[in-house]
Amino acid sequence: DVMDELRRAADQGRLSAQCEFGKCYLEGTGVPQDHREGARLFRRAANKGHANAQCALAYCYASGMGMPQDDDEAARLYRLAAEQGLALAQFNVGLCFPCGRGVKQDDTEAARWWRLAADQGQAVAQSKLALLHTAGIGVPRDPFEAAHLFRLAAEQGHVPALLQLGQLLLVGDPDAGAVLNIALGEAARFL
């Protein structure tokens, strides 16, 4: 049975198996749902530097799933995983900065982390970074870069990015006019 093999691999200390088995417990897939057991398995792998486990454990701390909610620990773990290049963790650590969840509020730092995730093709990070460029928050105001990032995210099926791209173009932003001819053709493919 697949679950037995996964359990054996996790018990033998295989970090990726511990992380996957932790997800099974978190979601109740093939085992009874048990957030505490899922978090325990994530912690075993996270303590040995496994980026996906660090990100999953950070999520548990951020949401209070299987343990007391702790923004500081969530931000610390997201950062550890993000520093290893995990795009999801880069996006999530970026989410900590606009509101100061477990970190000092810093829009520029949010933009830095979202840029790293966006450069790896993380659609929601592309969309969030585009919003910052639209408003000039933490980055220079740049509707051209915003339209580019919204388009990249929309091409991956991220509907909010498509809507934001349309709004950027239809609002009549004076700087967006040059983007209009290029982006309308791109946006039309999604309609």
Side-chain angles (χ1 to χ4, degrees):
D1 168 70
V2 173
M3 294 308 290
D4 289 335
E5 289 179 37
L6 189 57
R7 182 186 316 272
R8 272 193 297 281
D11 289 343
Q12 292 170 356
R14 293 197 181 127
L15 303 182
S16 59
Q18 290 170 348
C19 187
E20 286 305 310
F21 205 35
K23 288 179 189 174
C24 291
Y25 273 106
L26 216 60
E27 299 165 357
T29 304
V31 294
Q33 189 173 41
D34 184 343
H35 295 157
R36 294 184 91 145
E37 181 61 14
R40 186 188 71 78
L41 287 161
F42 293 146
R43 183 176 288 108
R44 283 177 61 191
N47 287 343
K48 294 190 172 145
H50 191 275
N52 285 318
Q54 290 168 334
C55 189
L57 184 59
Y59 174 78
C60 290
Y61 274 110
S63 62
M65 190 174 286
M67 61 189 51
Q69 195 272 339
D70 185 338
D71 288 339
D72 293 342
E73 186 63 6
R76 184 187 77 79
L77 287 162
Y78 280 138
R79 186 184 297 265
L80 286 174
E83 288 171 349
Q84 294 183 61
L86 185 65
L88 179 60
Q90 291 168 339
F91 169 72
N92 284 327
V93 77
L95 282 177
C96 296
F97 285 97
C99 298
R101 289 191 68 184
V103 295
K104 184 177 182 260
Q105 192 281 332
D106 186 337
D107 293 326
T108 302
E109 193 67 5
R112 183 177 81 80
W113 285 109
W114 287 340
R115 170 55 70 189
L116 291 170
D119 287 348
Q120 291 190 63
Q122 216 281 349
V124 183
Q126 290 167 335
S127 187
K128 291 282 191 187
L129 185 58
L131 287 170
L132 295 182
H133 277 292
T134 300
I137 297 172
V139 292
R141 185 175 179 282
D142 186 345
F144 297 101
E145 179 65 7
H148 171 71
L149 289 163
F150 282 139
R151 183 184 56 79
L152 290 175
E155 286 177 347
Q156 295 180 66
H158 187 64
V159 174
L162 175 60
L163 296 173
Q164 288 290 339
L165 177 60
Q167 182 178 356
L168 175 67
L169 298 173
L170 293 175
V171 163
D173 185 321
D175 295 331
V179 177
L180 184 59
N181 290 333
I182 298 167
L184 278 180
E186 294 291 329
R189 295 187 306 145
F190 297 99
L191 302 176

